[in-house]
Amino acid sequence: MLPLRTSRHLLTTSDRNTSMQQDSDRDRDRVYSQPLASVDRFVFDRQVAQVFPDMIQRSVPGYAAVISMSSVLASQYVQPKSLCYDLGCSLGATARSIQSGIQAQDCRIIAVDNSAAMIEQAVALAPAGNHTTPIDYVCADIADIGIENASLVTLNFTLQFIPLQQRGLLLQRIRRGLRPGGILILSEKIRFEDPEEERQQIEMHHAFKRANGYNELEISQKRSALENVLIPETLEQHQARLREAGFRRADLWFQCFNFISLVAHA
Ligand code: GEK
């Protein structure tokens, strides 16, 4: 969209249509569309950041619902003079949704991602002008971020990329940084203990991807790239770890196939 914004007055309608077509082509996820001799581990680099909104919409069933409901939960739970943390913010979709929902005064949102490409684009996408609830974009590992005075923390499809042995400590730090009455929204891809259910859910997820225009090559190469990078756990494992970390309760509020979201109460 940048060329349009910088030279809008010089463009005719047909120029603009062509330019928008080129933008939408460039923003289409084709990362795994060509056969690869060997598939490297998935990384959140510049190529992925460029197509990320298209990739996540077409890959994660219910993504739009989870993001927009983060706004509703923000309106309900964010407390005055508190901080909100969006951990693994990518291009800032959750942070902006929280921002639009907050009714409380004197709050601040801290959006964190360790991919420089993601943070650069998130800053570029941020609307100009002052908002009553500012968003600070921080390029850092979430393991290195202090969490304090929080009333809302989101881990929307991020914990699944954190090494298993670090997950408990991260949740304990989040729990300690939350005020009484605060919440963590934890959204994840999950696996199922029952092999039949696991197979059916993966099939339904792949059918969702096919319906969104991904072909078999793209589905299988992406699956290989995510092997040992995205490590899903069961719903029960997540709920048990949240309890161990000190959360009072962790309730399922959303599920679509093998993707869920929990609201965990401090
Ligand atoms: C959304 N929440 O659009 N520290 C910081 N960031 C990390 C780390 C880490 N250790 N590990 C991974 N990430 C977003 C979508 S995407 C989910 C989240 C997906 C970041 C990584 O760089 C990526 O941007 C994000 O977590 C995961 O609502 O792609 O399935």
Side-chain angles (χ1 to χ4, degrees):
M1 292 295 171
L2 257 184
L4 263 184
R5 205 178 293 150
T6 50
S7 56
R8 191 177 314 173
H9 59 289
L10 298 175
L11 293 172
T12 64
T13 308
S14 71
D15 287 337
R16 197 172 296 147
N17 288 344
T18 312
S19 171
M20 286 171 84
Q21 178 89 45
Q22 283 163 355
D23 282 345
S24 65
D25 274 2
R26 207 185 52 202
D27 296 344
R28 178 94 173 159
D29 172 23
R30 293 201 180 76
V31 175
Y32 293 102
S33 60
Q34 299 305 315
L36 299 166
S38 71
V39 180
D40 292 338
R41 277 170 69 84
F42 186 84
V43 283
F44 291 96
D45 58 11
R46 220 153 280 283
Q47 186 192 18
V48 168
Q50 168 69 36
V51 299
F52 189 72
D54 180 65
M55 174 184 276
I56 196 146
Q57 286 275 357
R58 293 200 287 135
S59 305
V60 174
Y63 173 76
V66 170
I67 301 308
S68 66
M69 290 304 150
S70 301
S71 161
V72 174
L73 293 172
S75 72
Q76 194 177 352
Y77 287 102
V78 174
Q79 303 171 16
K81 298 187 195 308
S82 70
L83 298 174
C84 300
Y85 292 84
D86 178 18
L87 304 178
C89 64
S90 299
L91 303 187
T94 301
R96 289 191 302 277
S97 175
I98 293 169
Q99 186 186 47
S100 73
I102 289 180
Q103 319 247 321
Q105 299 296 306
D106 301 321
C107 298
R108 208 167 182 92
I109 301 166
I110 298 157
V112 183
D113 205 289
N114 65 351
S115 158
M118 289 291 192
I119 290 293
E120 274 165 30
Q121 289 222 34
V123 170
L125 281 173
N130 290 333
H131 193 284
T132 46
T133 310
I135 303 178
D136 299 330
Y137 287 99
V138 180
C139 187
D141 195 301
I142 56 183
D144 300 330
I145 287 289
I147 296 167
E148 55 179 23
N149 189 29
S151 58
L152 172 64
V153 178
T154 60
L155 278 169
N156 276 342
F157 312 106
T158 302
L159 192 67
Q160 58 199 17
F161 293 105
I162 303 298
L164 281 172
Q165 67 281 9
Q166 294 175 21
R167 294 182 186 182
L169 188 60
L170 173 62
L171 294 183
Q172 285 167 30
R173 288 179 41 243
I174 292 172
R175 171 62 193 87
R176 281 200 296 270
L178 275 166
R179 287 183 182 184
I183 60 161
L184 163 69
I185 302 173
L186 173 63
S187 309
E188 287 279 287
K189 181 178 187 180
I190 58 164
R191 65 177 185 85
F192 298 83
E193 284 300 357
D194 176 31
E196 168 77 11
E197 186 175 15
E198 171 74 350
R199 195 179 55 73
Q200 302 272 12
Q201 294 280 4
I202 289 174
E203 258 321 300
M204 289 190 281
H205 179 216
H206 288 178
F208 168 85
K209 293 186 84 166
R210 268 181 234 115
N212 282 330
Y214 285 115
N215 61 35
E216 298 308 323
L217 178 71
E218 289 175 295
I219 293 171
S220 85
Q221 292 193 141
K222 174 90 179 274
R223 199 172 183 199
S224 305
L226 286 172
E227 197 82 33
N228 300 321
V229 174
L230 189 169
I231 302 171
E233 296 177 279
T234 64
L235 172 60
E236 294 73 24
Q237 285 172 317
H238 284 297
Q239 286 177 315
R241 188 188 290 115
L242 286 162
R243 275 194 302 273
E244 277 163 30
F247 286 91
R248 276 193 302 116
R249 52 187 303 133
D251 300 322
L252 185 69
W253 69 268
F254 176 87
Q255 176 165 9
C256 187
F257 308 138
N258 44 352
F259 289 80
I260 56 125
S261 189
L262 294 165
V263 57
H265 295 262

